[in-house]
């Protein structure tokens, strides 16, 4: 009987400690997420359609603000100097693209429902146009942006201990799906001091491939 009482008392006194170890739900602190990418390429251009949800106004200040969902289309043409227009063939949504001299490409963005799997578009310039199908880079094995944030946080929990207090995540998180030779996730943890702890993850396994800690 004494042994049973001891076990019960020990469990009772451990409850506050277990509560204090409650894991912070870091996904509530996501302020900027690129959750999907759709790619297409022709001889005249390459096109990327990105599904983005970003706080407004967008500030890397460690404070989370309400997000707005939108689509951003980027066109990198073989021939500069043209006026390009992009249109979604399903519903006619689109418009004239803006040239960015710093990166040498064209962009168009606005509020629209995210596509799934693939999306048909028309790119027009001068007297010409091309109808293309942009396909999502995601597969059944690609982690969601929220899962990528969780895995990054768990992998670096000790290094990111100053981002949590009493089970609450302090700061904001930026998660962006990337495509190079394969899919990756960039995950940036931004403290209210402005420091950023950045990670590159394998988008399927969640393995941390590279990290950049604040100096």
């Amino acid at each position: 009987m004494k042994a049973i009482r001891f076990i019960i008392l020990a469990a009772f006194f451990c409850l506050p400690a277990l509560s204090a170890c409650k894991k912070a739900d870091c996904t509530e602190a996501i302020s900027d997420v690129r959750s999907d990418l759709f790619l297409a390429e022709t001889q005249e251009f390459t096109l990327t359609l990105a599904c983005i949800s970003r706080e407004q106004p967008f500030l890397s200040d460690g404070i989370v603000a309400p997000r707005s969902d939108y689509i951003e289309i980027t066109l990198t043409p073989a021939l500069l100097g043209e006026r390009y227009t992009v249109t979604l063939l399903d519903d006619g949504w689109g418009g004239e693209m803006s040239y960015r001299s710093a990166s040498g490409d064209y962009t168009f963005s606005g509020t629209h429902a995210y596509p799934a799997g693939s999306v048909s578009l028309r790119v027009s310039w001068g007297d010409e146009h091309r109808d293309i199908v942009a396909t999502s880079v995601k597969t059944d094995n690609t982690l969601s942006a929220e899962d990528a944030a969780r895995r990054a946080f768990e992998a670096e929990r000790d290094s990111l201990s100053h981002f949590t207090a009493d089970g609450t995540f302090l700061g904001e998180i930026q998660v962006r799906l990337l495509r190079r030779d394969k899919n990756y996730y960039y995950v940036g943890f931004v403290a209210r001091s402005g420091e950023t702890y950045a990670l590159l993850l394998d988008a399927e396994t969640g393995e941390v491939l590279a990290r950049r800690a604040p100096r």
Side-chain angles (χ1 to χ4, degrees), residues 26 143-160 169 173-175 185-189 197-202 205-208 210-211:
C26 64
L143 297 172
S144 68
E146 291 76 15
D147 283 339
R150 291 189 189 98
R151 297 205 184 195
F153 181 67
E154 288 302 316
E156 305 293 312
R157 177 173 284 274
D158 291 342
S159 298
L160 297 171
F169 185 88
I173 304 175
Q174 300 166 352
V175 188
Y185 273 109
Y186 164 88
V187 183
F189 298 90
Y197 195 97
L199 303 170
L200 182 69
L201 272 62
D202 184 299
T205 66
E207 177 187 0
V208 177
R211 59 180 55 80

Side-chain angles (χ1 to χ4, degrees), residues 48-52 54 70-74 100 107-110:
T48 301
L49 183 151
C51 299
I52 298 172
R54 179 171 292 165
Y70 64 95
I71 284 175
E72 182 178 76
I73 302 174
T74 303
R100 299 188 297 191
T107 64
F108 177 84
S109 62

Side-chain angles (χ1 to χ4, degrees), residues 30-33 51-58 65-71 110-112 114:
I30 295 177
S31 63
D32 177 30
V33 55
C51 299
I52 298 172
S53 183
R54 179 171 292 165
E55 67 175 3
Q56 300 297 330
F58 178 52
R67 300 194 319 235
S68 296
D69 299 342
Y70 64 95
I71 284 175
T111 303
H112 191 278
Y114 294 161

Side-chain angles (χ1 to χ4, degrees), residues 80-157:
L80 295 176
E82 296 284 353
R83 296 178 65 178
Y84 289 90
T85 299
V86 63
T87 306
L88 270 61
L89 292 179
D90 287 344
D91 56 15
W93 178 86
E96 184 174 336
M97 309 187 81
S98 300
Y99 178 64
R100 299 188 297 191
S101 57
S103 50
D105 57 21
Y106 295 77
T107 64
F108 177 84
S109 62
T111 303
H112 191 278
Y114 294 161
S118 63
V119 57
S120 299
L121 307 101
R122 172 170 292 178
V123 177
S124 305
W125 68 99
D127 296 328
E128 299 198 46
H129 72 267
R130 295 289 180 273
D131 292 346
I132 58 173
V133 176
T135 305
S136 171
V137 302
K138 297 180 73 172
T139 70
D140 292 340
N141 296 323
T142 305
L143 297 172
S144 68
E146 291 76 15
D147 283 339
R150 291 189 189 98
R151 297 205 184 195
F153 181 67
E154 288 302 316
E156 305 293 312
R157 177 173 284 274

